[in-house]
């Protein structure tokens, strides 16, 4: 019995769910590769990560006989390209986990715990930020659903902000400790009437269910969990279709406990 860890190079995932999807994608890709490719063509970042681990806990010639935390060795044999999937013995999980998390953070790598399907540290444990290219509205809505669902499960009041880098336009949400959910979209006071109104001459934001036509539009839901899909679609549509931020635009996202 062993405890597995995964570490890879790449952009910081937007959520634990996003990280789980990326982990599964990488495992599927690894399974299609030839067996003799395993352990070869390891990226410099992953090699530095392995060096950091074995600098503290050296490879053991025969790990199964005890004496070290690694379930097998040499540890580098578990790496391929910019991905490593490896295991520790059960009674060393706590100290190894801390080493894995800190070493990955020092090198700008993504660390993931497959047992609980969470980033290390978890996406809801503190401040997280990353950059990404804006996808189309329905794909953004799926990402937002994952982020908001995790925010509602986090415990403390949790906030998320998605912002366009070029203009500062943003959407945000706040998940309350009482299970409520509030969302807000930054409007544009100089937006032309044609872009503010729909084909029936009604306020675009009113037609989406927002309460007013001010510079910032907001909505709140007492039952946050039951409103995740609705809120996510509203946020994505408002940003992509009303604010008309184009697909591929440089974006940033930050999530944090309030």
């Amino acid at each position: 019995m062993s405890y597995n860890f995964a570490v890879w190079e790449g952009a910081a995932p937007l959520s634990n769910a996003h990280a789980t999807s990326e982990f599964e994608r990488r495992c599927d890709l690894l399974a299609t590769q030839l067996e003799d490719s395993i352990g070869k063509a390891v990226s410099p970042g992953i090699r530095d990560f392995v060096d950091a681990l074995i600098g503290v806990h050296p490879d053991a010639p025969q790990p199964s006989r005890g004496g070290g935390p690694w379930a097998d060795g040499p540890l580098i044999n578990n790496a391929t390209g910019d991905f490593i999937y490896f295991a520790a013995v059960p009674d060393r999980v706590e100290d190894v986990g801390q080493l894995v998390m800190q070493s990955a953070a020092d090198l700008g790598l993504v660390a993931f715990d497959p047992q609980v399907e969470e980033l290390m540290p978890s996406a809801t444990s503190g401040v997280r930020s990353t950059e990404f290219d804006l996808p189309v509205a329905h794909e953004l809505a799926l990402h937002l659903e994952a982020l908001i669902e995790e925010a509602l499960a986090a415990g403390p009041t949790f906030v998320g902000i998605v912002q366009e880098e070029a203009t500062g336009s943003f959407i945000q949400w706040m998940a309350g400790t009482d299970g409520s959910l509030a969302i807000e979209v930054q409007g544009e006071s100089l937006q032309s009437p044609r872009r503010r109104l729909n084909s029936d001459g009604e306020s675009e934001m009113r037609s989406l269910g927002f309460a007013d036509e001010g510079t910032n539009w907001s909505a709140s839901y007492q039952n946050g969990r039951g409103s995740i899909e609705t809120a996510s679609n509203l946020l994505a549509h408002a940003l992509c279709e009303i604010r008309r931020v184009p697909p591929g635009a440089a974006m940033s996202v930050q999530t944090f406990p309030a």
Side-chain angles (χ1 to χ4, degrees):
M1 196 72 178
S2 59
Y3 198 97
N4 300 316
F5 298 97
V7 171
W8 63 84
E9 292 181 337
L14 304 182
S15 64
N16 292 325
H18 185 196
T20 300
S21 177
E22 176 63 11
F23 166 72
E24 292 173 347
R25 185 192 72 81
R26 286 174 175 269
C27 286
D28 288 344
L29 181 63
L30 192 64
T32 66
Q33 295 177 339
L34 296 177
E35 186 173 325
D36 62 5
S37 72
I38 305 301
K40 297 181 179 178
V42 179
S43 71
I46 296 298
R47 193 170 292 278
D48 288 345
F49 172 74
V50 171
D51 288 344
L53 297 190
I54 63 177
V56 178
H57 299 296
D59 279 321
Q62 295 176 304
S64 61
R65 295 188 178 182
W70 312 122
D72 61 13
L75 200 60
I76 194 67
N77 285 356
N78 294 286
T80 298
D82 61 357
F83 178 62
I84 182 169
Y85 186 36
F86 61 103
V89 296
D91 61 350
R92 300 295 299 276
V93 168
E94 186 172 348
D95 65 308
V96 165
Q98 289 297 316
L99 177 62
V100 168
M101 183 168 61
Q102 187 60 57
S103 299
D106 291 345
L107 293 166
L109 304 174
V110 177
F112 181 73
D113 184 334
Q115 282 75 205
V116 294
E117 297 186 336
E118 290 187 357
L119 289 158
M120 301 172 62
S122 173
T124 57
S125 64
V127 177
R128 280 189 70 83
S129 62
T130 189
E131 298 177 352
F132 66 103
D133 294 336
L134 184 69
V136 295
H138 75 273
E139 292 180 1
L140 175 62
L142 293 176
H143 286 304
L144 293 175
E145 283 186 39
L147 286 166
I148 294 172
E149 183 174 17
E150 290 175 11
L152 285 165
T157 298
F158 214 79
V159 175
I161 304 172
V162 175
Q163 178 172 290
E164 184 186 15
E165 294 290 279
T167 66
S169 299
F170 67 84
I171 56 176
Q172 64 182 1
W173 61 93
M174 182 171 69
T177 56
D178 59 355
S180 64
L181 174 64
I183 63 175
E184 183 177 76
V185 180
Q186 181 199 44
E188 173 55 76
S189 60
L190 299 179
Q191 194 173 32
S192 70
R194 180 180 62 82
R195 294 181 65 178
R196 290 176 64 90
L197 303 177
N198 62 21
S199 58
D200 296 324
E202 300 172 340
S203 162
E204 285 276 22
M205 302 311 292
R206 279 188 180 277
S207 69
L208 287 173
F210 286 84
D212 59 60
E213 303 176 40
T215 302
N216 288 352
W217 297 290
S218 62
S220 59
Y221 308 91
Q222 186 173 1
N223 178 10
R225 288 186 179 277
S227 307
I228 293 174
E229 183 176 358
T230 297
S232 299
N233 284 322
L234 280 172
L235 287 170
H237 187 79
L239 185 69
C240 298
E241 307 299 335
I242 306 302
R243 294 291 290 115
R244 301 188 185 180
V245 179
M251 309 292 294
S252 64
V253 57
Q254 185 176 56
T255 59
F256 52 92

